[in-house]
Amino acid sequence: MDCKIAVVGGGLAGLAAVVKLLRSNANAEIHLYERSPFFGGRASSFWVTSKGIFLDYAQHVSMKRCLFFRDFLQQTGLERFWRTDSCMTFCSRRETEWRHEKKPLWLDDFRNTPGLPVPFHLAGSFFRMRFLNWSQRWEVLYHFWKIRKSTPPEGISFDAWLRGWGASEKVRRFFWETVLFSAFSESPENLSAREVRNLLLEIFGTTPDAWHLLVPQRPLWEIFHEGLQPFWQPYVEKRRFFSHPGQAIQKIECREKGFQLFPVAEEPCFYDSCILAVPWHQVTKIFPPLAEKGLFTPETWKSNSIAAIHTWLEKPLFSQPHVATPGKTIQWIFRPPFGSGQWGHYHQLLISDSDRCASSQSDILQQLAESDLQTLFPDVRIREIRVTRFPSAVFSIPLDSPQKRPSCQTPWKNLFLAGDWTDTGFPATMEGAVKSGFTAAQRAMEKD
């Protein structure tokens, strides 16, 4: 082999980097290190001993417009694990009694109107959102028109941009918070208006199916760990790829012609190139010179956590595979095609930024989720419930922070950064992670 390349971090960024390197014709030996026993990073699962099943720590969803992620799935053969949904549903309950029915439940489908071109393809869906009154539905359409026709000033938040148009509290809370917490795990007042505008134009202003959802049909562990084995195997047999799950890297030191890696339970190893694809809050711990030289100071960033409330119920709440819940603490309720059994019907309730709740403690989050369920579905009967919370799931950069997202390139020859926290032009998503891995791998091949 011409050279040895280490990829540190087996999340989606690291996996994408390895796939890009292996698919190239570069005569390199690739080593992938991951501290957990399974690849996938935050897109991972946990074992429920009492039921003998894997469940995802938190539901992951992508979109058809996510071209880098879809390319990754196609190259590795993982697309067989994902379903495309052309409809999403808003679940709400009328705030007042109606025709002697106490606060009826509304399940409003959000889908394209056949025959209408972009950007009019979703106009019919906006008018069917019964959790908003007619004036507020027109207001949402007005906001989309403004987003399409105007560019926000640099440094302004999306919430401030909305307020400048006279946006009502109901529309900001029930529509925009639901959309943006789902996409960014962040509130509108902390999001750059320019970044949000660019993303919304990509999703709703390009092709009619750009917003269609990609939903996993198996636990993420099975997809990104077990599912990748057939792809790895030919490269393993050619001794081009070596995986090290469960092997953490303590530190990386720069040498004259490469890098010395120090695994926790193995002898130090030398590599010609290194792609550092660990979470943003770990990168300077593994390679301190980034902070020592003032190139990256992640302590100026904040972190947001994501919580999932796993519930088993007497019967399904609805027939749809998932619903969005505007105006509630929980943003989504999913019904994965796994997790149910004699113990009940499995539903996963998602809180995209649990830090904003009154308390991020599991018992408080459980109470808040149960309260939302009781409000939407008064007859719900819960058999079992548990909470998983992913602290530091995504980064949050204050709009006035001097520390911006770094590029994949570093001053050290053959050392590259990858992760959804790097400067990808995307929020903290699977799309951003995969793009960063592809970019870092391409730079590594160019250097070699």
Side-chain angles (χ1 to χ4, degrees):
M1 296 294 174
D2 293 338
C3 67
K4 291 176 65 178
I5 302 176
V7 178
V8 181
L12 285 178
L15 293 175
V18 171
V19 168
K20 182 77 170 181
L21 291 168
L22 293 177
R23 296 277 291 185
S24 72
N25 294 320
N27 191 27
E29 180 180 303
I30 314 300
H31 288 253
L32 175 61
Y33 291 89
E34 167 56 37
R35 66 176 181 174
S36 79
F38 309 121
F39 296 126
R42 296 195 304 272
S44 57
S45 313
F46 65 97
W47 178 251
V48 183
T49 304
S50 61
K51 297 174 176 57
I53 57 174
F54 275 101
L55 293 178
D56 294 339
Y57 281 105
Q59 179 74 44
H60 282 59
V61 174
S62 187
M63 289 186 175
K64 201 166 182 179
R65 185 62 181 176
C66 295
L67 303 182
F68 292 99
F69 182 66
R70 287 178 58 201
D71 184 33
F72 171 76
L73 296 182
Q74 291 167 2
Q75 289 191 49
T76 56
L78 296 181
E79 58 186 340
R80 67 188 187 276
F81 293 109
W82 296 75
R83 184 190 70 230
T84 301
D85 289 349
S86 59
C87 176
M88 60 179 284
T89 303
F90 286 100
C91 176
S92 59
R93 189 169 285 277
R94 186 181 176 91
E95 297 176 355
T96 58
E97 293 187 10
W98 176 253
R99 294 179 180 175
H100 307 293
E101 182 183 357
K102 292 187 176 180
K103 300 182 179 180
L105 181 70
W106 290 330
L107 293 169
D108 300 321
D109 287 344
F110 188 84
R111 62 172 75 241
N112 293 341
T113 301
L116 289 183
V118 176
F120 306 105
H121 59 305
L122 291 171
S125 290
F126 286 121
F127 285 120
R128 287 193 296 268
M129 296 188 299
R130 287 176 288 181
F131 60 91
L132 300 176
N133 62 34
W134 281 101
S135 173
Q136 292 158 350
R137 296 173 207 179
W138 277 107
E139 183 181 336
V140 172
L141 287 175
Y142 171 71
H143 290 171
F144 272 98
W145 180 81
K146 291 285 289 185
I147 288 169
R148 190 176 178 86
K149 295 296 184 180
S150 59
T151 301
E154 186 70 43
I156 190 174
S157 72
F158 187 73
D159 186 67
W161 202 32
L162 287 177
R163 289 176 184 272
W165 305 333
S168 65
E169 174 69 20
K170 181 73 175 285
V171 168
R172 286 189 291 110
R173 178 167 173 252
F174 277 65
F175 181 78
W176 286 114
E177 281 196 4
T178 300
V179 171
L180 298 181
F181 270 118
S182 299
F184 292 87
S185 297
E186 182 68 277
S187 60
E189 58 264 24
N190 294 328
L191 290 171
S192 162
R194 288 199 173 187
E195 288 186 8
V196 174
R197 177 183 182 269
N198 292 340
L199 183 66
L200 291 174
L201 291 180
E202 279 287 316
I203 295 173
F204 298 113
T206 51
T207 61
D209 62 353
W211 67 273
H212 289 178
L213 305 180
L214 301 181
V215 185
Q217 298 302 285
R218 299 300 304 159
L220 295 171
W221 164 86
E222 186 176 327
I223 298 174
F224 295 121
H225 188 84
E226 287 293 308
L228 276 171
Q229 298 309 313
F231 175 82
W232 300 140
Q233 192 57 37
Y235 301 103
V236 171
E237 293 173 355
K238 296 176 183 177
R239 300 190 64 78
R240 282 196 60 199
F241 174 64
F242 299 83
S243 65
H244 306 271
Q247 186 57 262
I249 299 297
Q250 295 184 87
K251 64 177 179 177
I252 298 173
E253 293 183 355
C254 186
R255 297 288 186 260
E256 183 178 354
K257 294 184 178 181
F259 300 90
Q260 196 83 12
L261 271 64
F262 294 84
V264 171
E266 294 181 4
E267 293 297 315
C269 309
F270 178 83
Y271 291 93
D272 300 286
S273 299
C274 180
I275 295 176
L276 192 51
V278 297
W280 58 275
H281 50 85
Q282 295 178 0
V283 63
T284 55
K285 298 176 183 177
I286 296 176
F287 192 68
L290 281 170
E292 293 167 359
K293 293 182 179 294
L295 299 171
F296 183 52
T297 52
E299 60 271 11
T300 62
W301 292 7
K302 299 188 301 179
S303 62
N304 291 335
S305 64
I306 295 175
I309 294 84
H310 309 271
T311 60
W312 288 269
L313 311 177
E314 287 284 345
K315 61 181 181 180
L317 295 175
F318 40 78
S319 60
Q320 292 84 347
H322 43 70
V323 299
T325 54
K328 301 299 180 186
T329 300
I330 55 175
Q331 285 93 35
W332 287 84
I333 305 175
F334 290 90
R335 290 182 55 220
F338 53 88
S340 299
Q342 60 184 4
W343 43 80
H345 296 272
Y346 176 60
H347 297 64
Q348 186 184 125
L349 288 57
L350 199 64
I351 304 178
S352 295
D353 180 13
S354 58
D355 295 320
R356 71 189 176 98
C357 299
S359 172
S360 59
Q361 295 180 2
S362 294
D363 57 340
I364 301 298
L365 295 176
Q366 178 176 324
Q367 292 174 19
L368 293 171
E370 288 182 353
S371 175
D372 280 352
L373 275 186
Q374 293 287 346
T375 300
L376 290 170
F377 307 97
D379 297 329
V380 64
R381 295 183 63 183
I382 300 174
R383 286 188 178 181
E384 185 180 344
I385 189 167
R386 65 169 66 190
V387 177
T388 55
R389 181 172 168 269
F390 222 123
S392 301
V394 295
F395 62 88
S396 176
I397 308 176
L399 292 175
D400 58 352
S401 172
Q403 176 65 68
K404 304 304 180 183
R405 295 165 69 175
S407 71
C408 74
Q409 199 79 44
T410 73
W412 293 269
K413 181 181 178 181
N414 294 339
L415 176 67
F416 309 93
L417 304 178
D420 61 10
W421 49 274
T422 59
D423 189 13
T424 65
F426 295 107
T429 58
M430 294 187 289
E431 175 77 345
V434 170
K435 180 184 178 182
S436 74
F438 283 170
T439 302
Q442 183 63 42
R443 295 289 185 273
M445 290 186 291
E446 291 170 357
K447 287 289 185 179
D448 290 333

